[in-house]
Amino acid sequence: MLFNSTDFAIFLPIVFILYWFVTYKHLTIQNILLVIASYIFYGLWDWRFLSLILFSTLIDFFIGVALSKEENKNKRKLLLWISIVVNLGFLGFFKYYNFFVDNFIAAFSLFGTTFNATSLNIILPVGISFYTFQTLSYTIDVYRKNLTPTKDFISFAAFVSFFPQLVAGPIERATNLLPQFYKKRHFEYHKAIDGSRQILWGLFKKIVIADNCAIYANDIFNNYETYSGSTLLLGAFFFTFQIYGDFSGYSDIAIGTSRLFGFTLKKNFAFPYFSRNIAEFWRRWHISLSTWFRDYVYIPLGGSRGGVWSKIRNTFVIFLVSGFWHGANWTFIAWGFINACYFLPLLVLKRNRKYTDVVAQNKILPNGKEMLHIVTTFFLTVITWVFFRAKTIKDAVAYLEEIFSKSLFTIPTIITTTLLLKIIVVIIFMSIEWLQRNKEHALQFSTAPKRRVWRWCFFFIVIYAIIVFGAKPQEFIYFQF
């Protein structure tokens, strides 16, 4: 079920009414309702894969219970590894089986040996990368004794399958989300209103920005051989805003929907395209994944505690694994490798924690130095998105070669009035995000009564834009991951 579909527009109010007006007196029944609603939400895509979610839920729940009773260090490690192997085993089979088989065959062919192996027609379960990491966070934190294992199976099942963030995050930690299922929730009007505004902005990002940028990005990337460098650069820009509007839009809708039900999810995007270097960008982009890898991979490897070479190794490991998490394609690994190369000088020079505040705090515009840093970081990011979007590394290299050729200085061949209008819409969108960069989301306005008319005028403009620019609902990009 898509957030931007009629099905969800019907589904959400029904669950909301049942949740607050029918089951509100009984916490357990509320949680059961959320489990049922989440399974319906996911099952409408493909009910067969509900068994995977249920199996992961059962495995990690009972391993958590076993860990609570076990003090022997070796046995505790064994239980942890059972959880890791089972969860990553499912993820590896469904997401990476054909990748490894195809590359294994290709490796043998380099030596003139023909090796026969069967590729499978495997359907990738939507959201498997997200809920796998979510359940693993529970087992690891219980193993580390950072979290008391739960004996409430319903609450745990609701935590694993919570429908707002089930298929594309944010990847919630058990330490943050699970305890919220234990406590009685009370409807808070101001939180519900703020959540509704965040949902509205998420829909704007997805429908108005991402889906419209996708029209041009898809055409240009799919036919890049026929376009000039200037047009390819324009296509890279369109994809840059498409993926941001698409993914951060999903996160906004997920976080806003959760607030309607009395839950608080962690922020997943913090206006990343206003970053002043790549390190700041990665603190602001897909925050839940970046911090997951930091806490469960980077720090256990030694983090930044060792010597220079240890830091370099750990940095490349974290970025390469992050790239591979996104998909079974060498383009994602190249994307991770390039980002690691960007990050490395900042780490070595100890400048990776230089920018932790909001850019141009309390100012309307950044100064010249800040603007230069923002623009430079943005263009470096655009280059990496070419690898992320391209079908093969060869395509990505050819795409960039044409961008940096003489044809870059020609007029793009796809310029139309409609395209110019959509570019203006993107500029307005980024201007609004800039003005709201110190907020949780762009529609988090002051509630002062004297500004009520202006707020409602702006909300109606956003709704009107969604209606005008909206077309057939498109899947979110991160469903494939």
Side-chain angles (χ1 to χ4, degrees):
M1 187 185 297
L2 299 175
F3 280 159
N4 52 327
S5 67
T6 304
D7 290 342
F8 187 73
I10 297 171
F11 170 83
L12 181 60
I14 291 174
V15 178
F16 181 85
I17 290 169
L18 292 174
Y19 183 84
W20 287 118
F21 295 97
V22 178
T23 66
Y24 71 97
K25 291 183 179 179
H26 306 282
L27 180 61
T28 301
I29 296 177
Q30 270 193 331
N31 288 342
I32 291 173
L33 173 65
L34 289 176
V35 173
I36 294 171
S38 298
Y39 275 55
I40 292 172
F41 177 86
Y42 192 88
L44 286 176
W45 170 71
D46 194 325
W47 62 270
R48 294 171 298 176
F49 291 111
L50 287 173
S51 59
L52 283 180
I53 297 176
L54 179 59
F55 188 76
S56 292
T57 302
L58 289 167
I59 283 288
D60 288 310
F61 175 77
F62 286 112
I63 284 179
V65 172
L67 284 169
S68 69
K69 300 175 182 178
E70 186 59 68
E71 292 299 326
N72 182 279
K73 188 175 180 180
N74 290 330
K75 290 182 179 179
R76 287 177 62 83
K77 266 187 183 176
L78 176 62
L79 289 168
L80 173 64
W81 276 106
I82 290 172
S83 174
I84 292 173
V85 170
V86 169
N87 282 289
L88 294 185
F90 276 124
L91 179 62
F93 174 75
F94 283 100
K95 194 167 183 176
Y96 302 108
Y97 174 84
N98 285 335
F99 174 81
F100 285 118
V101 168
D102 293 343
N103 281 279
F104 188 70
I105 294 171
F108 269 84
S109 68
L110 291 175
F111 300 98
T113 303
T114 301
F115 186 85
N116 294 319
T118 304
S119 294
L120 302 178
N121 185 22
I122 299 174
I123 300 173
L124 179 65
V126 169
I128 189 171
S129 297
F130 290 89
Y131 66 74
T132 296
F133 274 32
Q134 188 152 306
T135 57
L136 278 177
S137 80
Y138 170 78
T139 310
I140 295 170
D141 284 339
V142 168
Y143 171 79
R144 292 175 174 177
K145 298 186 178 181
N146 294 333
L147 179 68
T148 302
T150 184
K151 295 181 180 179
D152 183 348
F153 180 74
I154 298 300
S155 292
F156 185 72
F159 156 72
V160 174
S161 64
F162 190 43
F163 75 88
Q165 45 85 232
L166 173 60
V167 296
I171 302 170
E172 273 296 333
R173 305 293 180 84
T175 50
N176 175 56
L177 182 56
L178 182 56
Q180 297 183 53
F181 288 98
Y182 305 152
K183 300 174 184 177
K184 179 71 176 175
R185 274 91 63 184
H186 300 281
F187 182 78
E188 296 182 63
Y189 178 78
H190 69 282
K191 287 186 178 180
I193 290 298
D194 187 64
S196 299
R197 292 175 180 175
Q198 192 162 4
I199 291 171
L200 181 62
W201 191 242
L203 288 171
F204 179 87
K205 285 180 176 179
K206 169 59 178 170
I207 296 171
V208 178
I209 303 301
D211 288 354
N212 283 279
C213 285
I215 296 170
Y216 299 99
N218 291 341
D219 174 63
I220 293 170
F221 271 91
N222 292 339
N223 304 283
Y224 74 90
E225 303 96 335
T226 63
Y227 287 118
S228 64
S230 57
T231 304
L232 297 187
L233 181 61
L234 195 59
F237 283 147
F238 275 122
F239 180 72
T240 297
F241 290 110
Q242 177 197 352
I243 194 167
Y244 172 62
D246 194 284
F247 193 20
S248 70
Y250 186 98
S251 293
D252 280 336
I253 299 170
I255 294 169
T257 301
S258 299
R259 288 174 73 83
L260 292 180
F261 293 92
F263 292 89
T264 300
L265 302 186
K266 290 187 176 180
K267 193 173 184 177
N268 206 24
F269 287 84
F271 309 102
Y273 288 157
F274 303 136
S275 301
R276 288 154 287 185
N277 62 31
I278 289 297
E280 184 182 11
F281 174 83
W282 280 106
R283 284 193 296 274
R284 295 177 175 275
W285 178 277
H286 201 175
I287 299 167
S288 63
L289 180 67
S290 300
T291 54
W292 199 100
F293 279 123
R294 180 197 66 196
D295 295 341
Y296 298 118
V297 180
Y298 184 72
I299 292 176
L301 284 173
S304 301
R305 295 189 301 273
V308 174
W309 288 111
S310 294
K311 293 178 183 178
I312 292 173
R313 178 202 64 193
N314 296 343
T315 297
F316 273 96
V317 167
I318 204 74
F319 277 105
L320 291 174
V321 171
S322 177
F324 198 46
W325 176 90
H326 282 84
N329 194 318
W330 287 103
T331 55
F332 296 118
I333 297 174
W335 171 76
F337 178 82
I338 295 168
N339 273 290
C341 292
Y342 287 165
F343 189 90
L344 203 56
L346 299 172
L347 180 69
V348 173
L349 297 174
K350 298 181 179 180
R351 301 182 67 181
N352 54 305
R353 300 293 301 176
K354 182 177 181 181
Y355 300 118
T356 57
D357 58 336
V358 176
V359 61
Q361 183 74 49
N362 300 320
K363 293 190 292 184
I364 295 178
L365 295 173
N367 59 39
K369 184 179 179 180
E370 289 173 327
M371 178 60 76
L372 177 62
H373 287 171
I374 291 171
V375 171
T376 301
T377 303
F378 179 77
F379 273 98
L380 289 174
T381 304
V382 170
I383 291 172
T384 63
W385 286 136
V386 171
F387 283 88
F388 194 95
R389 175 60 179 80
K391 294 178 181 178
T392 66
I393 292 179
K394 181 180 178 181
D395 289 332
V397 171
Y399 194 104
L400 289 172
E401 283 179 345
E402 189 61 33
I403 284 180
F404 292 106
S405 69
K406 293 180 180 179
S407 65
L408 175 64
F409 303 100
T410 60
I411 297 174
T413 56
I414 62 169
I415 294 295
T416 63
T417 303
T418 302
L419 182 140
L420 292 173
L421 174 62
K422 291 181 178 179
I423 290 175
I424 292 171
V425 171
V426 170
I427 292 171
I428 293 172
F429 160 70
M430 292 303 293
S431 299
I432 295 168
E433 293 242 310
W434 170 261
L435 294 173
Q436 295 290 94
R437 66 193 181 280
N438 62 335
K439 305 289 181 63
E440 288 296 309
H441 59 89
L443 294 191
Q444 194 175 61
F445 295 117
S446 167
T447 57
K450 63 181 180 180
R451 298 181 179 178
R452 186 173 299 154
V453 173
W454 293 107
R455 287 201 310 273
W456 278 102
C457 285
F458 185 76
F459 295 152
F460 279 122
I461 291 171
V462 171
I463 294 169
Y464 178 76
I466 290 172
I467 294 171
V468 170
F469 285 93
K472 182 180 178 182
Q474 301 293 317
E475 278 199 355
F476 290 82
I477 291 175
Y478 267 67
F479 278 22
Q480 63 185 291
F481 305 137

